Amino acid sequence: MTAAVNDLSFKQIHHSKEEAIECIRQWMHVCKRIESRETTAVNEIYSVRLNSSAEIAPGYPLIDLIKEFKLKEEKSYFLHLLCNLPEPDDLSEETSEYFYFMDMKSLICAYAKEGFLISLETIEPFKECLINGKIGGEYISIKNISKMDHVNLYSQKLGIRFYQPNPKHGKTSYIGAKGRYVNPMDLSDEEAQNLLNLAIEINGILYGKLHGNYYCFRRHINNCYHGYKNNDLDSNIRCKIDIGNWE
C-alpha cells in the first residue's frame, strides 16, 4: 500500500507561527505512526522534495521550524521528513498523471490515488478523511490521513493489528472439555502485541518467534488477533519463520 506526503498541503500557509508549529507536530506524529512497524501494509512514505524555504506562516519559512524543537530526536525526525523520504522511481512529468485539486496539481498525489495521502492541516479540505479532485478528467477521492483519528479510521487498511488475549489460552497448556490439547499463551499482552506487529503470514495464519518459541496468531474479527505458543509446527513452516530476525 502506497503512502505519500501531500505536497499540496504545504503550498498553503497557516494564519500564525503558533498554528503552524502545532500542525507540523501533529503531521510529524502521524508520519511516525505510519513509518512504525505497526502499519504492516505500508512499507515507507514517499515524497517529492518540499520547498523548505517557502512560508508556512506569514514571514515564517518552513525550515525555521527546526528552531522550535528542543530535543535532538525531534530535529532529526523533522529533517528526515523534509530531506530523506524517497521519491518514487517512476514519477515524472512525461509519464505520470497529475491530481488536480482547486487551482493546484500534483504528481505525487496522483501516484498515491490507490493508497493514502499524509497531509498537513493547512486548509479545511486537508482535515478530512478523503480528498476530492480530478485525475485525467475523472473525479476521484483519495484516502487522507492528517490526524490520529484518521489512522484509527483506516487501521485495517494500514495493516495495524490489535492483540486481544483469548481466555482459552492461559499461561499453561491443558486438556479441554472435549479432550483437545489447548496451547498456552505465556507472553504478556505487550510482548504479544510487539510480536504480532512483526509476525509474518503463512497460509493465512500469522507466525512469530520469541525466546526460541514459536507463536501463532489468528484473526477473530476485523484486524483483531489472539495468539498462542505452538512449538509443534511442521518443519517447513518453522524454516520460513526462522528466516526472520526475531530477537
Side-chain angles (χ1 to χ4, degrees), residues 3 16 26 31 94 124 126 152 158 175 177 193 206 220 234:
S16 67
Q26 177 173 288
C31 287
E94 291 75 22
E124 287 300 320
F126 298 145
N152 296 332
L158 289 167
I175 303 300
Q193 179 65 65
L206 295 176
H220 51 263
D234 291 342

Side-chain angles (χ1 to χ4, degrees), residues 15 46 50-51 63 73 81 85 95 122-123 129 142 147 166 173-174 184-185 192 206 223 228 231 233 238-239 244:
H15 296 297
Y46 291 99
L50 300 173
N51 183 1
I63 192 62
E73 292 78 9
L81 294 177
L85 296 180
T95 60
T122 41
I123 57 176
C129 62
I142 304 177
K147 62 190 75 176
N166 187 325
S173 59
Y174 63 94
M185 170 48 88
L206 295 176
N223 50 335
Y228 51 87
N231 287 326
L233 299 172
R238 291 201 305 272
C239 287

